[in-house]
Amino acid sequence: MTLRLIILGRQGAGKGTQSIRISSRYGIPHISTGDMLRAAVVEGNELGIRAKAIMDAGDLVPDDLMMSIVTERLSADDAQGGFLLDGFPRTAAQATWLDTTLAPGGIDMALTIEVPDEVVIERMLARKRPDDTEDAIRRRLDLYEEQTKPLLSHYAERVATIDGHAAEDTVEGRVAEVIDAYLA
Ligand code: AMP
């Protein structure tokens, strides 16, 4: 049985941490588009050069570019038994495209990790990523509300909402509970 998951949630919700845990717990690759883009920036390749200024501003990399990155990654051997997509889809166009790409079934489950505003802000200020300027953070949170949050209704029938305001182990347990229920 394949396990094709996406994980949504604002920056600072703990998506990255939980994704790593889910990935090792269920033996599926953690595919983070943000990590892939940051690696391209470090490498200084064409993609990285195109993406850097956009990421620094907290804006979204164009859909067509994201789709081609994800197409390539999902075609790799390790993704054939399932995967956890983190950071994609982020727009309605990306979500529709993913449905088509994974047709007829689409994804199995969308996980969303919810945390209160003040916790998000506290966590964001605590971490230090080169693209984490205050303006970029604000821009990303705005874009999440505008473009990514509406995807929750796109996936209404297969979304699991997880309360992320707890210790990492507790949150992991909550995530595992919904995935195990799906697999049972
Ligand atoms: P993340 O690590 O997921 O927060 O992504 C960091 C940055 O990479 C975002 O602020 C965007 O600029 C870019 N990015 C990552 N994934 C996507 C995506 N699916 N669509 C557009 N831009 C993305």
Side-chain angles (χ1 to χ4, degrees), residues 11 15 32-35 37-38 54-55 58-61 66 86-90 94 129 131 140:
Q11 273 205 298
K15 262 185 315 150
S32 158
T33 48
D35 284 352
L37 291 169
R38 279 184 289 277
I54 300 172
M55 294 172 75
D59 280 324
L60 293 175
V61 171
M66 294 312 302
D86 167 12
F88 188 99
R90 248 183 169 90
Q94 291 177 11
R129 232 170 56 183
D131 55 342
R140 279 191 219 109

Side-chain angles (χ1 to χ4, degrees), residues 18-176:
Q18 293 303 325
S19 294
I20 292 164
R21 290 173 173 227
I22 298 164
S23 163
S24 73
R25 191 172 185 129
Y26 295 95
I28 49 176
H30 170 212
I31 301 179
S32 158
T33 48
D35 284 352
M36 289 164 76
L37 291 169
R38 279 184 289 277
V41 170
V42 170
E43 211 177 285
N45 61 26
E46 202 187 315
L47 168 66
I49 292 163
R50 278 187 72 182
K52 187 176 186 315
I54 300 172
M55 294 172 75
D56 285 347
D59 280 324
L60 293 175
V61 171
D63 286 335
D64 58 340
L65 201 54
M66 294 312 302
M67 291 165 190
S68 75
I69 296 167
V70 173
T71 299
E72 193 181 332
R73 184 63 188 86
L74 291 186
S75 71
D77 284 349
D78 71 339
Q80 302 318 303
F83 50 78
L84 172 64
L85 261 178
D86 167 12
F88 188 99
R90 248 183 169 90
T91 65
Q94 291 177 11
T96 306
W97 172 85
L98 188 64
D99 290 345
T100 310
T101 300
L102 301 178
I107 60 157
D108 295 305
M109 199 189 299
L111 304 163
T112 177
I113 304 194
E114 304 288 333
V115 288
D117 280 356
E118 60 276 16
V119 178
V120 171
I121 291 159
E122 203 177 288
R123 287 182 183 173
M124 304 260 305
L125 293 174
R127 69 179 199 183
K128 285 271 173 292
R129 232 170 56 183
D131 55 342
D132 269 355
T133 63
E134 209 180 311
D135 283 349
I137 290 169
R138 197 169 301 122
R139 178 80 183 129
R140 279 191 219 109
L141 291 175
D142 286 348
L143 283 173
Y144 186 82
E145 292 299 314
E146 269 169 39
Q147 311 243 22
T148 308
K149 214 171 166 187
L151 301 185
L152 293 176
S153 44
H154 181 92
Y155 293 115
E157 275 138 42
R158 50 188 88 178
V159 73
T161 303
I162 290 123
D163 175 3
H165 189 199
E168 289 173 3
D169 287 347
T170 309
V171 180
E172 181 187 354
R174 290 173 182 164
V175 176

